[in-house]
Amino acid sequence: MEEPIIYAKDLTKKFGDFTAVDAISFEINRGEIFGFLGANGAGKTTAMKMLIGLWKPTSGKASVAGFDVYREAEKIKKNIGYMSQRFSLYEDLTVVENIQFYAGIYGLTNQQIKSKTTGLIEKLGLLEVRDSRIQSLPLGWKQKLAFSVAILHDPKIVFLDEPTGGVDPITRRQFWDLIYEAAHNGITVFVTTHYMDEAEYCDRVSIMVNGRIEALDNPSTLKKQFNVDTMHEVFVKMARPQEA
Amino acid sequence: MKNPALSINRLLKSYGKLRALKEISLEVNRGELFGLIGPDGAGKTSLIRILATLLLPDGGSAEVLGHDVIREYKVIRNKMGYMPGRFSLYQDLTILENLELFASIYETTVEKNYHLIKDIYAQIEPFKDRKAGQLSGGMKQKLALSCAMIHEPEILFLDEPTTGVDPVSRNEFWEMLKKLREKGITIIVSTPYMDEANLCDRVALIQDGAIMSVDTPEAVVETFPTFLYAIKSSDKYLLLQDLRDYPNVNSVFAFGEYLHYTDKRKELPEDELRQYLEEHKHRELEIKRIEPGIEDCFMAFMEKEN
């Protein structure tokens, strides 16, 4: 059997007396769209930062794309894509310059950079704005470009931290088209979101409450388990926001 | 005589070449809980800032509680409460210090108007000596709302109070708004979450600096131009592709566990579509007619505008 692409066992992060992530365990398979849900302050961002090699765990085990989060954090960073809500594009560079800049950082050859740039611009319909600065583009275009740039180097996994905040409903769905396509092509997608309809688009979701994973399954099983019709209701039943 | 809380007439605002508000006209009644529903960049914040007398319009006019937003801005400022999109209280003052500061600016005291904020403030009062910068998102929200309320405003402007907030905290926030509404305060609230439209008395759907529709949520939904179907099968990605290739498709969008589909024909021959999908090897097919929601309507309006 194929090894899980993300593996976590009793993964824990403490800040002083406060346990932000409390012994979480899960396995994610190749090509899965995995929704990582939880209320504000439940520990999602902390968990994600450990998985992408930015923060060392306090205890527990985890590997991402086959690399250990303690010893091989640099290798993890090379093998993943990452996009956050405050996307990483340079506002005062043009569309083409941004693509080329990131392709260069990812170590693509000149030939690869050329073909990737042409391909991306065509696919996203950005031909007319290829030499426009990012700051002049609508939010939705930026998000789609930021996602495409995040998977420019064909990573095994892409981490998306609330990628669709604030965009219009049509653009939000176009964005999910890109996610489906990436997953269809074998890229594992690890995504956090506050839109519960998007939770339904995931193959499996986990719900974090006060640092622990309190539920993990595919959306239809979770809905059955809680005897409700939507993931929104599952979430509201599960996730008590942590106050004070 | 009619005495609206807001009266907006062909309001214009541009930033360089970008037209943020394109001649917006709108009237809001006193005591309404009114929602400005739209994505980032729609013009919601520009509109709220003009109404809150923090930004000058380029053209048109607007009155808040009968006062002109340019000439009578000082009157408006005493009668309104404003909660900006970004948390803007003093991070290094405590909860109580922030609240007292706002009260004293408006020449009142926390004691005098405690009854106004009691429901909200009581939830954070046990931590009143904690610095605002150290509060959780939900607590900051409650403090910001308390500060916006402490001088007994007649109208409240809330700019995206629930953006980036998880569904549970969002529910709690809307419960607070309902209680404020019962006190007779007019509330203007903007949000990018379409499902929150149903919690308002009336809504304006805003996109690209223009209002696409203004009505009660129920009436907006009735304007949906055609029949809507929810469809699902075992493979959502392929279902989406195949429905897009279906000759009579009008629109198809992912919607939670289903896809929402409209057909070019007035009535959908369900058997024909089912057969088409079965030929494309879709298993566990489900096709059912459903009532549209605000988000369906918003997308239908957007497609019409294009």
Side-chain angles (χ1 to χ4, degrees):
Chain A
M1 220 192 95
E2 205 172 346
E3 264 187 44
I5 190 96
I6 301 178
Y7 166 83
K9 177 79 181 149
D10 295 332
L11 192 64
T12 299
K13 181 76 183 178
K14 290 185 182 173
F15 299 102
D17 294 338
F18 176 65
T19 306
V21 174
D22 190 0
I24 60 172
S25 302
F26 55 89
E27 290 180 4
I28 300 172
N29 303 315
R30 184 169 179 269
E32 242 191 313
I33 301 177
F34 190 84
F36 199 59
L37 312 180
N40 300 109
K44 298 190 303 289
T45 303
T46 305
M48 204 164 183
K49 283 193 172 163
M50 288 192 279
L51 293 176
I52 63 179
L54 285 183
W55 284 354
K56 278 219 157 49
T58 307
S59 62
K61 284 185 207 165
S63 73
V64 173
F67 300 110
D68 183 84
V69 292
Y70 291 93
R71 290 176 287 107
E72 298 171 300
E74 289 312 309
K75 282 185 181 155
I76 289 176
K77 288 178 198 164
K78 282 192 183 120
N79 281 277
I80 62 166
Y82 174 76
M83 174 193 165
S84 78
Q85 200 173 16
R86 279 179 222 132
F87 16 77
S88 30
L89 299 175
Y90 287 88
E91 292 275 315
D92 48 2
L93 295 184
T94 68
V95 170
V96 168
E97 285 166 350
N98 264 287
I99 298 173
Q100 290 175 342
F101 176 76
Y102 278 97
I105 286 185
Y106 291 136
L108 271 54
T109 65
N110 282 344
Q111 190 56 41
Q112 283 172 320
I113 293 177
K114 228 178 182 174
S115 75
K116 284 272 182 190
T117 307
T118 322
L120 248 188
I121 286 188
E122 195 170 308
K123 182 176 150 197
L124 297 177
L126 295 174
L127 200 58
E128 276 175 32
V129 293
R130 52 171 287 144
D131 296 316
S132 304
R133 288 183 189 191
I134 293 297
Q135 62 198 16
S136 67
L137 299 186
L139 177 71
W141 295 19
K142 285 187 210 175
Q143 274 175 331
K144 282 184 261 180
L145 181 61
F147 176 74
S148 303
V149 166
I151 57 169
L152 204 58
H153 54 308
D154 300 316
K156 296 191 178 84
I157 310 162
V158 61
F159 288 86
L160 308 173
D161 195 0
E162 287 179 43
T164 58
V167 295
D168 71 70
I170 291 186
T171 306
R172 196 151 69 81
R173 286 171 174 84
Q174 289 169 347
F175 191 88
W176 272 88
D177 280 359
L178 293 177
I179 293 182
Y180 277 134
E181 191 191 317
H184 198 73
N185 293 332
I187 296 180
T188 303
V189 180
F190 186 99
V191 57
T192 72
T193 178
H194 283 319
Y195 291 97
M196 285 305 120
D197 60 331
E198 294 186 346
E200 314 258 6
Y201 305 162
C202 300
D203 296 314
R204 288 192 302 154
V205 300
S206 67
I207 301 180
M208 254 183 118
V209 183
N210 294 347
R212 302 187 63 91
I213 289 185
E214 295 290 358
L216 196 167
D217 218 316
N218 60 58
S220 56
T221 305
L222 286 176
K223 283 184 281 185
K224 258 184 224 144
Q225 188 185 326
F226 284 87
N227 200 18
V228 292
D229 294 328
T230 62
M231 276 306 294
H232 181 87
E233 292 165 273
V234 172
F235 189 90
V236 170
K237 282 197 171 186
M238 287 237 28
R240 293 277 160 267
Q242 189 186 20
E243 287 292 34
Chain B
M1 216 192 85
K2 222 176 162 194
N3 184 12
L6 287 184
S7 180
I8 300 167
N9 192 14
R10 305 181 67 170
L11 203 61
L12 270 177
K13 181 71 198 178
S14 295
Y15 305 102
K17 269 189 263 172
L18 180 77
R19 295 171 66 207
L21 296 176
K22 303 169 182 167
E23 297 209 349
I24 280 191
S25 297
L26 180 67
E27 208 155 275
V28 174
N29 302 317
R30 298 231 181 194
E32 268 192 303
L33 174 51
F34 191 91
L36 301 168
I37 316 287
D40 286 2
K44 304 186 301 295
T45 297
S46 294
L47 180 58
I48 286 186
R49 286 198 180 147
I50 290 172
L51 296 172
T53 75
L54 300 170
L55 185 68
L56 287 172
D58 296 330
S61 65
E63 287 183 359
V64 176
L65 306 168
H67 303 287
D68 184 86
V69 289
I70 302 173
R71 287 191 321 274
E72 299 175 279
Y73 71 93
K74 280 189 180 165
V75 185
I76 295 174
R77 285 184 189 177
N78 275 311
K79 294 184 172 184
M80 66 158 211
Y82 168 60
M83 190 173 149
R86 196 172 286 181
F87 183 71
S88 325
L89 301 178
Y90 292 90
Q91 310 257 4
D92 50 358
L93 295 186
T94 65
I95 288 183
L96 185 61
E97 285 167 346
N98 267 294
L99 197 56
E100 282 176 340
L101 175 68
F102 273 76
S104 65
I105 288 172
Y106 289 101
E107 294 173 349
T108 183
T109 60
V110 176
E111 292 72 37
K112 184 165 169 269
N113 283 332
Y114 186 80
H115 64 284
L116 286 171
I117 58 166
K118 184 173 172 284
D119 288 340
I120 303 157
Y121 182 63
Q123 299 175 45
I124 52 171
E125 202 171 9
F127 316 102
K128 64 179 193 287
D129 295 326
R130 197 178 287 186
K131 285 188 176 165
Q134 295 163 358
L135 302 177
S136 71
M139 290 171 79
K140 280 183 180 166
Q141 235 183 7
K142 283 167 192 149
L143 177 58
L145 190 56
S146 299
C147 289
M149 286 288 301
I150 194 66
H151 60 297
E152 199 171 5
E154 289 173 48
I155 186 165
L156 263 182
F157 295 108
L158 309 175
D159 194 4
E160 297 205 19
T162 56
T163 291
V165 176
D166 67 76
V168 176
S169 308
R170 278 166 57 196
N171 283 356
E172 284 184 354
F173 194 80
W174 278 93
E175 285 301 317
M176 291 193 280
L177 293 191
K178 270 192 229 160
K179 282 191 183 154
L180 288 179
R181 184 184 165 279
E182 285 163 16
K183 297 185 201 290
I185 300 165
T186 307
I187 304 173
I188 313 296
V189 56
S190 70
T191 177
Y193 297 103
M194 304 279 146
D195 55 343
E196 293 182 347
N198 293 315
L199 304 168
C200 302
D201 296 321
R202 286 197 309 145
V203 293
L205 305 187
I206 306 182
Q207 167 76 0
D208 258 342
I211 293 179
M212 303 190 293
S213 172
V214 183
D215 221 320
T216 62
E218 299 78 24
V220 168
V221 166
E222 275 171 28
T223 62
F224 195 72
T226 179
F227 294 128
L228 183 68
Y229 293 85
I231 304 178
K232 81 171 177 182
S233 84
S234 49
D235 189 331
K236 194 182 282 164
Y237 178 70
L238 290 177
L239 183 63
L240 197 59
Q241 311 285 338
D242 289 334
L243 281 172
R244 279 187 185 140
D245 293 338
Y246 186 58
N248 285 302
V249 62
N250 178 55
S251 71
V252 51
F253 293 115
F255 236 100
E257 72 173 306
Y258 291 89
L259 301 179
H260 283 190
Y261 173 88
T262 62
D263 201 85
K264 278 182 196 153
R265 296 161 294 190
K266 205 162 174 116
E267 199 110 13
L268 170 74
E270 273 186 49
D271 289 343
E272 190 195 298
L273 179 62
R274 184 178 292 275
Q275 199 188 339
Y276 166 83
L277 290 173
E278 276 166 1
E279 279 165 14
H280 285 77
K281 303 199 168 54
H282 284 282
R283 289 173 293 108
E284 297 163 48
L285 256 180
E286 193 182 332
I287 302 176
K288 60 181 181 185
R289 225 190 105 183
I290 55 161
E291 294 301 318
I294 292 286
E295 192 157 354
D296 295 299
C297 296
F298 197 96
M299 292 195 285
F301 280 120
M302 278 180 74
E303 299 224 300
K304 205 171 87 187
E305 309 264 315
N306 290 327

